[in-house]
Amino acid sequence: MLTRRRFLAASALSGAAVLARFETQAQARFATPLPVPRLVDARGSDVAIPLVLAQGTHAYRAGQFVTALGYSAPVLGPAIRVARGQRLTMAVDNRTERPTTVHWHGLIIPSAVDGGPHNAISRGGVWGPILPVDQPEATAWFHPHPHGDTAPQVYSGAAGLLLIDDGSGEQLGLPRAYGIDDLPLILQDRWFDRSGAPVYEPSPMEIMAGFRGDTVIVNGVVSPIARVPAGVIRLRLLNAANARIFDLRFSDRRVFHVIASDGGYLSAPVAMRRLLIAPGERYEVLVDFSDGAEVVLETGPDGNRPMMGMMGAAPPLTDGGQVMKFAVDRNTAAAASMPKSLVPVSRLDAARVAARRQFLLNDMMMGGMMGGGGGMGSMMAINGRPFDMERIDVETRLGTIELWHIVSQSMAHPFHVHGTQFQILTLDGRRPPPHLQGWKDTVLVTREAQILVPLTQPASHGQPFMYHCHILEHEDAGMMGQFTCS
Ligand code: C2O
Ligand code: CU
Ligand code: CU
């Protein structure tokens, strides 16, 4: 049914009907104020922070209220601010009909509390992990990670933010008035049906290419507008889409400065006009709005697809790639200025690696893998082996650094590792560009990448860490492996 509707939408790319649809959407564009996830300041607190995963009612498109999934919110979840050096106690309550887990993406914590597929919370169950947070200031996030059901649960709305605080941003004078000059932007895409409800029914081709919608949402709504003070604003960008890679730029092509990647600050701001952000990645950027001009944040098309002509290409965006608008309030000046330098990033020593490993990300039909009646889903694997909860793929030694060589077979894959922040040594054989020289937990591997992975957190056979592609359809279909650390 959905497939048919989408087939019609895709095949009628000319004509008055499409034009009319486009115009209706244009009228509502940039009318909804940007929602900002509720801030929960848990710094120094030893009280358990409740997270109730439940269905709620939410309007992705103005006025169209539909069912969504969220953590103590109708959709998405809170932004939890936590201090470096504290223990953060969580109280997760699964009030949905399906088993779930909550994974703390980007935290350097033991696998026993990491929320991977082995930490299942049954329907109606509760989970109370204590997270020892001890890592540099960064923007991390949390989302479900149940075996084989991550993509639908994230797509339904479950995702929240973790803001790790160590005082360095304050010392640097970075914008830090949450919701005013420090704005989280959770970027996702959806297919909506006529009622305004997101539809998730990936075809075999969409499992192979990743499920990408034709409409971008920011913090859970279509085409919002943010009013910002006239000055330097910090945007915490998170790509929480299942599969879409955003190619961000401003409509006036203004320069912005990347100050942080997944695991924390870069050593100095990096001036850019375009920024690719793949699923799972975060970047923090500073944008100067002191000229008072209105500007639209845009994305280019996502060209990622398996190697078979146009098959599996991402659908064009109905709003022409216009993500959201910024309007400047000239009466309020933002306090912050653009710093010259940030936090020095100490380079991991490639000469010290204890082991080298190779990971081939299999995304195509392979001889021997299609036997036993396996469908298209069984093509997704790493080193020829689809994910198996009962199999440990890699055993690592606690306290060492390893060099991982990741090779993508045909598409680009955002490769993510749990329980660590790594550094990119090479990307397609070259030194990575400056904004990719800081701490990362997810790297977009177009052809190949070499990363240096510090292993500082324990992971047992019963509760191993995961490494996987963050295109959630790939992850659920088997492009994931497990490692221990002891
Ligand atoms: Cu955000 Cu294992 O994932
Ligand atoms: Cu993760
Ligand atoms: Cu992938």
Side-chain angles (χ1 to χ4, degrees), residues 208 304 361 363 380 411-414 469-471 474-475 479:
M208 196 158 153
N304 199 16
L361 308 180
D363 56 18
M380 296 292 159
M411 287 180 69
H413 300 277
C469 175
H470 220 286
I471 291 177
H474 293 180
E475 175 189 335
M479 196 181 283

Side-chain angles (χ1 to χ4, degrees), residues 253-275:
R253 301 298 183 264
R254 70 178 56 199
V255 169
F256 53 87
H257 290 82
V258 181
I259 56 167
S261 55
D262 306 330
Y265 295 114
L266 304 174
S267 49
V270 178
M272 298 183 78
R273 290 176 200 271
R274 265 181 75 184
L275 175 65

Side-chain angles (χ1 to χ4, degrees), residues 103 105 141 143 145 280 416 418 466 468 470 475 480:
H103 167 56
H105 179 136
W141 63 303
H143 61 78
H145 214 301
H416 168 54
H418 285 205
M466 304 292 132
H468 60 90
H470 220 286
E475 175 189 335
M480 178 153 70

Side-chain angles (χ1 to χ4, degrees), residues 5-27 29 191 214 316-320:
R5 181 194 69 83
R6 286 172 41 207
F7 173 75
L8 291 172
S11 58
L13 278 175
S14 61
V18 168
L19 204 62
R21 179 174 162 233
F22 194 73
E23 278 165 4
T24 327
Q25 292 190 345
Q27 284 164 11
R29 200 183 293 171
W191 283 104
D214 66 351
L317 295 167
T318 53
D319 53 8

